[in-house]
Amino acid sequence: MSASKETEGAVAVITIRNPPVNALSQQAVESILKVLKEVQFDPAVKAIVICGENGKFSAGADIRTFENIGQKSDSLSHFLEDVNSMAEKSEKPVIAAIEGVALGGGLELALGCHYRVAHVKARLGLTEVLLGIFPGAGGTQRLPRLIGLLPALEMITTGKIVFAPVALKLGLIDSVTEDNTIKAAIHFAQNVIGKPLESRRLCTKPIQCPPNMETIFNDSKIKLKKLFHGAISHQLCVEAIRAAVQLPFAEGILKERELLFSIFNSEQARDQAKARQYAFFAERRVTKWTTPSGANWKSASPHPIGVAAVIGLGTMGRGIVVCLAKAQIQVIAVEQDGKQLEMGRKAVTKILERETLTMQQRGLALMSDSFGSITFTLDFNSLKNADLVIEAVYENMALKKEIFKQLSSICMPEAFLCTNTSGLNIDEIASVTGRPHLVIGTHFFSPAHIMKLLEVVRGYHSSPTTISTVINLSKVLGKIGVVVGNCPSFVGNRMMGPYLHQAIFLLEDGCYPEEVDKVLEEFGLAMGPFRMSDLVGLDVGWRSRMESGLTGPKLLPGALVRQREGKRYSPLPDILCEKGRFGQKTGRGWYQYETVGGRNAVPDPWVQNFLHDYRKAHTIKQKPTSQNEILEWCLYPLINEGFNVLEEEIASGPEDIDVIYNNGYGWPRHMGGPMFYASMVGLPKVLTKLEVFYENNPDIPSLKPSGLLKKLVKQGSPPLKEWRSQLGYQNSKL
Ligand SMILES: CCCCCCCC/C=C\C/C=C/C(=O)SCCNC(=O)CCNC(=O)[C@H](O)C(C)(C)COP(=O)(O)OP(=O)(O)OC[C@H]1O[C@@H](n2cnc3c(N)ncnc32)[C@H](O)[C@@H]1OP(=O)(O)O
């Protein structure tokens, strides 16, 4: 049974029951249809309320079934629109009682109802586009009729979710309640029994259109192309809304169906939808973490964190303080230096003021006193009150060890000690404490209060409770925590290494930064390698290369300019740094910027001349490189490193890597993530290309194909979901 009926006087209450989120499977939809028909013919029923079991209206169509639907998926949307249309045509008022979520097909169902009553905390959105499809059960035709063209265009093309108070302002719902939503909806229903319904049927409503509609549609398509880098579903949304404006309702519904069907007829659109749906489930999969020692999410219980401390109020520390406070956790923010403390306090206050404003705009009544309280202090002893400490000072092993030594004696014996590092050895840091089992790495991404990713780096001694506590904390902070192993640069940055080197080698061989960036940005990456390096700052890598003796004063005399320890090395970024070109922060890097700190990257003739002279000085012949060659040359070594990471048990599955790339490195979701992309390109193709690259460039070791990649190809390239079973520990120790 996926829908049931009870009556409250003259009001029938239909409850959708499909745990955990009342997804609309074919069975659920058929069941709602059946009960809805029954109540239509029941003379005792004068009004109908539709709600969802367990405080959730519905999370929309059942995404799990999409894989098997394929070409026939049209039938699910068809069915769903049948229910919506039956509700709409009903001669008895139908009221949606929305608690929790009304997303995708769930909201489309609510749009078929005559009225919508929602709980104040309910979230509503037509999120289909984020799964590579679009609202195919009347949503593109009904929403613009209800809330107007422009707000509907925004919600449908971006998948934006709004909270009930904003939905009320938009006219998306009719009433908001802070009490029991079902009771409020029944009460609402009793009041509208017998009232005329014609004006409540969205199918009959005209759309109010501004005169410059065509410009609006065209501009929207251009904007979406930039924002979502060539994802097809966003463009189709605009077409469906155009149909809503230009055609009568019934014809618009047919057009919506035709456009939905076009997704299944286009290989590219289908692949993009598959990639996005894979990315959705991958994010749920990574919460079910495992470690090589056999610990896993089921075997450990997280500890709640009431008080957290942050050490260091630089850019990262400030962002971390903000996300803890936003999660209503009490924060102790510690600095060594009074001036830094004051600057940190001001910066945090400013960000929180902005956040308060955004929350108010999003209809969240949260004011600044709803944030966790923050104590700014120079007193290290105040750390004794923290359940968990996050050290966020700059990347220096000696300094971090010094701090952890102090933490070990100051903090409560059961307090968790986290280090925010993008690549330092967690075990070395843990070794100076008397509690290595409570020490763990938390690699936040900048800006820490915005970026969703958190790499949770388990040390050799990190206990399952420690891992579980930090993963749980990441959820509380609204982030996606991915458990990774301890190795230099962990997962994301480690895979970036070969990619960035390959991009720089392209400059030696004849390309220009803007050419390489263009190819990777057209592929869908948020930023090409050179724009990204300019943003991060070229000096970051330069300092670390100097530290490890690859350049600068520690470089051994007699080293060849373009080689280190027999491997190909490019001194190009070092030379740029020596010339003070650190990127955006100095106004010059691989590009030039209008000002110091400027964002607008403009190709720099200086760089072009410099590269020209460099090639001449080293007698390098400029090789023509096609767009496809640039793509393969940069991405395949990144993917290869991903296979190495899996083989070494640093990431526990391909989904973990893909979640890291989608949420921390600007990988386009409609390409699923690098490992998903490799599976779509075909592992044999990736392997063959790497073999050729390596044969021609034996001095670039990262081109050597990974053992796991070779093994998978030998096994006939099994689908990605089977790769985990090929990794040593996954099955053996659980
Ligand atoms: C090749 C393409 C074929 C396409 C076929 C087209 C048919 C078109 C028909 C009609 C148009 C309508 C389409 C849609 O409705 S698409 C679905 C739109 N809905 C969403 O985008 C919502 C997705 N869900 C979420 O955002 C969240 O899950 C949440 C906010 C509802 C709840 O979040 P949270 O409390 O954090 O819990 P989890 O995310 O962990 O979810 C719990 C559990 O539930 C599973 N789940 C969630 N949503 C769905 C769903 N729509 N279908 C199936 N399963 C869902 C989720 O996977 C978790 O499961 P677990 O990992 O096993 O625990």
Side-chain angles (χ1 to χ4, degrees):
M1 173 73 88
S2 305
S4 65
K5 181 203 77 174
E6 282 161 70
T7 47
E8 180 91 15
V11 181
V13 179
I14 300 177
T15 307
I16 309 167
R17 298 183 197 278
N18 191 13
V21 291
N22 298 321
L24 300 169
S25 60
Q26 191 127 335
Q27 196 198 0
V29 175
E30 279 171 16
S31 179
I32 303 169
L33 201 60
K34 185 166 164 271
V35 184
L36 196 55
K37 263 188 202 155
E38 263 170 43
V39 295
Q40 295 292 326
F41 295 110
D42 183 344
V45 171
K46 303 284 181 235
I48 301 155
V49 166
I50 302 182
C51 64
E53 188 183 42
N54 283 336
K56 291 184 180 96
F57 184 73
S58 169
D62 191 339
I63 312 165
R64 275 172 214 286
T65 62
F66 286 5
E67 208 181 347
N68 307 324
I69 299 174
Q71 294 270 338
K72 280 190 261 149
S73 52
D74 190 38
S75 63
L76 179 57
S77 61
H78 209 127
F79 262 128
L80 196 50
E81 169 50 15
D82 282 351
V83 177
N84 302 343
S85 157
M86 177 180 281
E88 190 168 58
K89 289 190 183 121
S90 165
E91 293 302 329
K92 304 171 182 181
V94 184
I95 294 93
I98 302 171
E99 294 176 290
V101 287
L103 299 176
L107 181 55
E108 291 186 270
L109 170 60
L111 290 172
C113 299
H114 304 119
Y115 299 96
R116 287 150 292 276
V117 174
H119 188 263
V120 68
K121 288 193 177 153
R123 289 173 287 161
L124 301 88
L126 290 177
T127 46
E128 287 93 334
V129 71
L130 303 177
L131 294 165
I133 54 173
F134 67 87
T140 62
Q141 307 303 299
R142 289 194 177 91
L143 191 67
R145 288 178 158 82
L146 180 62
I147 65 172
L149 179 65
L150 293 180
L153 194 61
E154 194 200 346
M155 278 189 78
I156 293 172
T157 58
T158 64
K160 179 179 168 180
I161 294 176
V162 295
F163 282 84
V166 174
L168 186 68
K169 275 194 198 143
L170 284 171
L172 177 53
I173 55 177
D174 303 285
S175 167
V176 171
T177 178
E178 289 187 33
D179 304 321
N180 183 313
T181 313
I182 320 284
K183 279 192 182 151
I186 293 172
H187 183 69
F188 191 100
Q190 284 158 345
N191 284 334
V192 293
I193 290 173
K195 292 207 172 142
L197 288 173
E198 198 49 19
S199 67
R200 305 300 311 174
R201 295 191 176 104
L202 296 177
C203 62
T204 63
K205 252 187 129 175
I207 303 182
Q208 301 302 331
C209 288
N212 55 340
M213 246 164 28
E214 268 318 300
T215 318
I216 291 172
F217 288 136
N218 292 338
D219 288 354
S220 168
K221 285 182 110 170
I222 292 168
K223 197 171 134 202
L224 291 165
K225 205 168 176 185
K226 272 197 197 146
L227 213 57
F228 298 99
H229 307 286
I232 296 167
S233 53
H234 301 268
Q235 304 289 320
L236 291 176
C237 287
V238 179
E239 288 313 315
I241 299 169
R242 195 198 293 269
V245 167
Q246 292 175 344
L247 302 173
F249 183 81
E251 285 175 42
I253 288 283
L254 290 178
K255 184 69 185 174
E256 182 191 80
R257 201 162 288 168
E258 182 194 315
L259 288 166
L260 184 64
F261 207 66
S262 76
I263 294 183
F264 313 117
N265 287 333
S266 144
E267 193 179 337
Q268 199 190 357
R270 229 173 29 231
D271 285 350
Q272 289 187 359
K274 269 192 210 160
R276 283 190 183 251
Q277 288 153 29
Y278 158 82
F280 174 83
F281 286 117
E283 282 173 9
R284 271 93 201 143
R285 179 72 183 80
V286 299
T287 60
K288 300 176 173 123
W289 55 271
T290 55
T291 72
S293 64
N296 65 64
W297 64 288
K298 278 190 250 172
S299 64
S301 319
H303 285 198
I305 301 300
V307 183
V310 178
I311 304 177
L313 291 178
T315 313
M316 291 309 289
R318 293 169 192 177
I320 299 170
V321 169
V322 169
C323 37
L324 289 164
K326 271 179 67 184
Q328 298 181 358
I329 293 172
Q330 203 179 314
V331 192
I332 306 166
V334 186
E335 249 301 336
Q336 265 187 329
D337 171 83
K339 206 167 145 202
Q340 270 294 113
L341 185 76
E342 209 32 54
M343 276 164 59
R345 183 205 306 268
K346 279 195 186 138
V348 166
T349 310
K350 204 165 160 192
I351 305 175
L352 284 176
E353 277 166 10
R354 269 204 311 262
E355 292 288 314
T356 307
L357 202 70
T358 315
M359 280 176 171
Q360 283 166 347
Q361 281 163 355
R362 292 181 66 205
L364 300 174
L366 282 179
M367 302 298 287
S368 49
D369 61 357
S370 304
F371 293 130
S373 69
I374 309 173
T375 311
F376 292 90
T377 176
L378 294 171
D379 179 12
F380 254 61
N381 280 321
S382 60
L383 295 171
K384 66 176 186 293
N385 299 317
D387 302 316
L388 176 142
V389 179
I390 302 172
E391 162 277 306
V393 303
Y394 63 92
E395 297 280 29
N396 179 298
M397 182 55 92
L399 176 62
K400 290 199 185 239
K401 278 164 91 172
E402 183 49 45
I403 291 174
F404 272 73
K405 220 190 256 174
Q406 288 187 49
L407 291 179
S408 189
S409 58
I410 297 171
C411 295
M412 291 188 279
E414 65 278 20
F416 300 97
L417 307 182
C418 312
T419 172
N420 176 55
T421 167
S422 58
L424 293 182
N425 188 336
I426 307 300
D427 293 333
E428 193 176 338
I429 296 171
S431 71
V432 299
T433 71
R435 57 177 97 177
H437 62 293
L438 299 180
V439 176
I440 196 161
T442 44
H443 179 199
F444 284 84
F445 287 70
S446 184
H449 62 291
I450 291 177
M451 295 293 283
K452 282 199 80 133
L453 179 64
L454 181 68
E455 272 187 331
V456 176
V457 192
R458 54 176 165 79
Y460 182 76
H461 296 286
S462 307
S463 72
T465 306
T466 308
I467 300 174
S468 175
T469 299
V470 174
I471 285 293
N472 191 54
L473 177 67
S474 69
K475 194 154 190 191
V476 172
L477 301 183
K479 297 196 182 294
I480 304 173
V482 184
V483 180
V484 301
N486 182 24
C487 70
S489 306
F490 315 134
V491 173
N493 284 352
R494 175 170 160 178
M495 289 168 64
M496 268 282 124
Y499 163 80
L500 292 174
H501 288 145
Q502 294 293 100
I504 293 167
F505 294 151
L506 283 174
L507 301 190
E508 291 197 329
D509 295 342
C511 294
Y512 291 98
E514 52 277 18
E515 261 179 274
V516 179
D517 279 353
K518 184 166 179 273
V519 171
L520 288 148
E521 285 165 16
E522 275 175 5
F523 169 77
L525 285 167
M527 255 183 221
F530 296 105
R531 283 213 302 137
M532 189 184 76
S533 301
D534 272 3
L535 171 73
V536 173
L538 271 69
D539 54 321
V540 178
W542 188 42
R543 259 188 272 122
S544 126
R545 289 193 296 280
M546 283 202 280
E547 188 65 28
S548 50
L550 285 170
T551 188
K554 285 193 195 166
L555 178 65
L556 292 177
L560 296 175
V561 181
R562 298 179 57 222
Q563 229 181 54
R564 296 290 180 270
E565 294 166 359
K567 298 178 214 158
R568 181 168 174 184
Y569 180 85
S570 172
L572 286 173
D574 299 336
I575 304 173
L576 255 65
C577 287
E578 283 157 18
K579 295 187 182 303
R581 300 183 69 109
F582 292 172
Q584 291 187 1
K585 63 176 84 163
T586 56
R588 296 276 185 279
W590 294 113
Y591 291 91
Q592 56 180 322
Y593 298 85
E594 68 283 16
T595 52
V596 168
R599 301 262 164 113
N600 190 20
V602 177
D604 190 344
W606 182 91
V607 172
Q608 288 162 6
N609 291 332
F610 160 70
L611 288 174
H612 180 263
D613 294 347
Y614 174 89
R615 289 177 203 130
K616 208 166 152 197
H618 294 281
T619 52
I620 302 169
K621 261 204 186 144
Q622 199 164 349
K623 282 190 280 196
T625 315
S626 72
Q627 295 195 356
N628 200 36
E629 281 166 333
I630 293 178
L631 202 64
E632 293 177 339
W633 174 257
C634 292
L635 292 186
Y636 290 1
L638 177 149
I639 290 165
N640 193 40
E641 199 58 27
F643 281 110
N644 287 331
V645 156
L646 287 174
E647 200 170 11
E648 291 171 28
E649 304 184 342
I650 297 297
S652 59
E655 297 89 347
D656 299 56
I657 295 177
D658 288 337
V659 169
I660 287 173
Y661 265 76
N662 291 341
N663 292 287
Y665 292 85
W667 187 276
R669 271 179 103 77
H670 60 274
M671 296 282 180
M675 308 318 280
F676 181 86
Y677 176 67
S679 75
M680 295 302 271
V681 168
L683 299 189
K685 182 175 171 192
V686 177
L687 176 60
T688 309
K689 261 283 138 95
L690 282 165
E691 281 169 344
V692 173
F693 288 156
Y694 188 46
E695 201 180 309
N696 295 337
N697 302 273
D699 56 348
I700 309 181
S702 56
L703 295 175
K704 184 176 178 192
S706 134
L708 177 62
L709 172 59
K710 288 203 275 194
K711 184 173 157 187
L712 290 169
V713 171
K714 210 166 167 190
Q715 287 173 352
S717 305
L720 181 144
K721 59 181 166 213
E722 288 171 26
W723 297 0
R724 255 175 211 265
S725 62
Q726 298 304 317
L727 308 176
Y729 66 91
Q730 292 293 338
N731 289 329
S732 57
K733 292 186 191 150
L734 288 181

